[in-house]
Amino acid sequence: MTNYQPVAYLDNAATTPMPDEVLTTVTNYYQFQKVNVHRGMYGLAHQVTSQYEAVREQVKNFIHATNSAEIVFTSGTTDSLNMVAAGYARQVLQPGDEIMVSLMEHHSNLVPWQQVAQQTGAQLKYLNVTVDGQIDIKQLRQQLTDHTKIVALTLVSNVLGTKLELAPVAELVHQHGGILVADAAQVAGHLPIDVQALGADFLAFSGHKMFGPTGIGVLYGRQSLLEQLRPVRFGGEMIQEVTQQDATWQPLPLRLEAGTPNIAGVLGLGAAVNYLQRLGFTAIQAHEQKLMRRLMAGLQSHFPIQIYGSQVAGDHHGAVSFNFKQIHAHDVATILDAANVAVRAGQMCAAPLMQALQTDSVVRASISAATTSAEVDRFLAALDQVEGLLL
Ligand code: PMP
């Protein structure tokens, strides 16, 4: 496992550590197997290509997609969402159409929609965030129209840690003829994902937040929709035939994976999926919930702080954000850093949410299956020093 010592690492929502089996898979590829995929006519190239494609199959099963053509390897959630915005939404949106997001979206699930709204004349609409960190389904019902072509929502908030119930949302969106895009960046390492049960039409996540390497991610798309997604990158591997003036594309998913892919990243992602499946999401949840109860009870009983969103530990999936009433978030993080405790402080790539919470920044502590109770205790002990500043 990535060794952060002497640091107590409570920034797992930014990125998680990598277990030994993921580290070994990545180094093995670079040390003994570094060939390209989908091209070589020799044994090792065939072997690595089948390992690469086996990960696609593994990811398909991991998120319950119907077939592996629906799994596109990307560089991460940001890349996946940009592909949907530039390759799909840009084609289908017309002036007067609507895109709906919530006020708690990460900039990755917001700025691409702003851009596509500006390019197509569609309107970007917002759903409020309730005090307990949910969207208001009544507001959604009122605001949805037959012009709402895309609803793009996070499945778990990277700031508030709350999980949105997207299945009923998908049902409503579909009744109006729209599609649901789910940002699952904060889910993949914590909770099982079932794209069928969710009713998600597109879903994005990153390997590095689920114990895999950086630079690898997944775009899931319902096959009929992925067929409509125009490639936004052109070049080797994605073409079928090239003439002087034109070209035709490979079938899915290769036509959306131009150029040499992140092969080590894909293999590492496969190892991360194995790791998660071996631990099991029931055990992961039990561990995280135990730590979150300890963390939130510590925060709530000792400190003059405000916790944003739900006050119930069970509602927090990995992350909790807070502020001391009289100390700026950056000062809190700096004091914690001096005690070798790593947390995040700032606007968390969620500026509209900060405005809604009436703050410019928050402190975020975030855990994963790899976090220990000793790390949580060191965090709480270091917060005592922050509180000391108030005396
Ligand atoms: N969405 C959410 C909810 C996130 O937490 C993050 C990462 N902080 C992203 C999108 C973007 O992920 P990446 O930087 O891996 O592309």
Side-chain angles (χ1 to χ4, degrees):
M1 187 73 74
T2 307
N3 185 348
Y4 293 107
Q5 275 170 19
V7 168
Y9 184 70
L10 290 166
D11 197 16
N12 290 271
T15 196
T16 51
M18 291 210 290
D20 289 349
E21 64 203 86
V22 176
L23 291 163
T24 314
T25 302
V26 171
T27 35
N28 264 352
Y29 167 74
Y30 283 127
Q31 198 165 8
F32 303 113
Q33 298 187 295
K34 191 167 176 292
V35 296
N36 217 321
V37 288
H38 299 131
R39 320 168 195 249
M41 308 279 272
Y42 45 91
L44 191 56
H46 290 307
Q47 186 196 323
V48 175
T49 301
S50 51
Q51 284 172 252
Y52 179 94
E53 288 303 324
V55 176
R56 201 188 301 279
E57 190 66 22
Q58 215 185 338
V59 170
K60 176 207 106 181
N61 295 332
F62 183 61
I63 65 169
H64 302 275
T66 47
N67 84 62
S68 55
E70 297 180 319
I71 305 300
V72 180
F73 292 124
T74 67
S75 72
T77 307
T78 306
D79 190 30
S80 302
L81 293 168
N82 273 279
M83 281 169 68
V84 180
Y88 174 80
R90 181 109 197 241
Q91 316 307 317
V92 302
L93 291 176
Q94 313 251 337
D97 284 341
E98 295 160 3
I99 306 167
M100 203 179 277
V101 295
S102 83
L103 278 172
M104 70 180 117
E105 299 313 314
H106 187 282
H107 294 162
S108 288
N109 195 29
L110 171 59
V111 181
W113 304 118
Q114 291 176 342
Q115 290 297 307
V116 87
Q118 288 166 18
Q119 288 155 355
T120 59
Q123 197 192 345
L124 184 61
K125 290 172 106 179
Y126 282 87
L127 294 168
N128 295 330
V129 176
T130 64
V131 279
D132 53 355
Q134 289 290 333
I135 53 165
D136 178 354
I137 197 104
K138 264 197 256 129
Q139 188 199 10
L140 174 75
R141 222 178 251 123
Q142 283 161 4
Q143 292 208 359
L144 268 181
T145 73
D146 289 352
H147 294 290
T148 316
K149 294 286 171 10
I150 293 171
V151 175
L153 293 171
T154 192
L155 196 42
V156 167
S157 160
N158 64 309
V159 181
L160 305 173
T162 32
K163 176 170 173 273
L164 305 192
E165 291 309 325
L166 290 190
V169 172
E171 213 175 303
L172 283 171
V173 172
H174 292 154
Q175 280 167 15
H176 286 273
I179 63 154
L180 177 71
V181 181
D183 172 354
Q186 292 297 339
V187 185
H190 301 273
L191 294 160
I193 298 175
D194 183 335
V195 290
Q196 308 297 328
L198 277 176
D201 297 292
F202 287 108
L203 180 134
F205 58 94
S206 302
H208 72 94
K209 291 184 200 276
M210 52 179 286
F211 302 101
T214 57
I216 182 70
V218 170
L219 170 63
Y220 157 81
R222 210 181 278 286
Q223 190 162 355
S224 57
L225 291 168
L226 267 190
E227 298 285 1
Q228 294 173 53
L229 194 153
R230 277 175 55 100
V232 289
R233 277 183 289 275
F234 304 91
E237 205 129 339
M238 55 81 68
I239 49 84
Q240 200 157 48
E241 268 177 57
V242 180
T243 61
Q244 281 201 356
Q245 302 300 327
D246 207 359
T248 54
W249 318 141
Q250 290 270 22
L252 288 172
L254 291 189
R255 73 187 175 89
L256 298 173
E257 292 177 8
T260 297
N262 180 354
I263 302 164
V266 169
L267 302 182
L269 177 67
V273 169
N274 278 339
Y275 172 79
L276 285 166
Q277 287 179 327
R278 215 184 43 252
L279 289 184
F281 282 109
T282 311
I284 292 173
Q285 275 304 293
H287 177 73
E288 287 189 10
Q289 284 300 314
K290 189 183 79 187
L291 292 185
M292 192 48 85
R293 280 196 297 274
R294 190 182 188 105
L295 196 158
M296 283 194 54
L299 282 176
Q300 285 162 326
S301 59
H302 292 309
F303 303 107
I305 56 158
Q306 174 180 11
I307 292 175
Y308 296 102
S310 174
Q311 306 300 304
V312 179
D315 291 341
H316 287 260
H317 297 279
V320 57
S321 292
F322 61 94
N323 262 322
F324 274 79
K325 300 226 160 78
Q326 299 155 46
I327 310 175
H328 194 274
H330 288 164
D331 294 333
V332 175
T334 306
I335 293 164
L336 292 180
D337 176 48
N340 280 328
V341 175
V343 295
R344 174 111 183 250
Q347 61 172 9
M348 307 292 141
C349 298
L353 179 60
M354 294 299 117
Q355 285 143 27
L357 298 174
Q358 298 180 321
T359 182
D360 64 348
S361 56
V362 299
V363 184
R364 179 185 69 190
S366 57
I367 59 167
S368 72
T371 309
T372 62
S373 27
E375 286 179 298
V376 171
D377 291 347
R378 280 179 56 196
F379 161 72
L380 293 169
L383 277 184
D384 277 332
Q385 299 176 26
V386 177
E387 206 189 4
L389 288 184
L390 292 171
L391 301 175

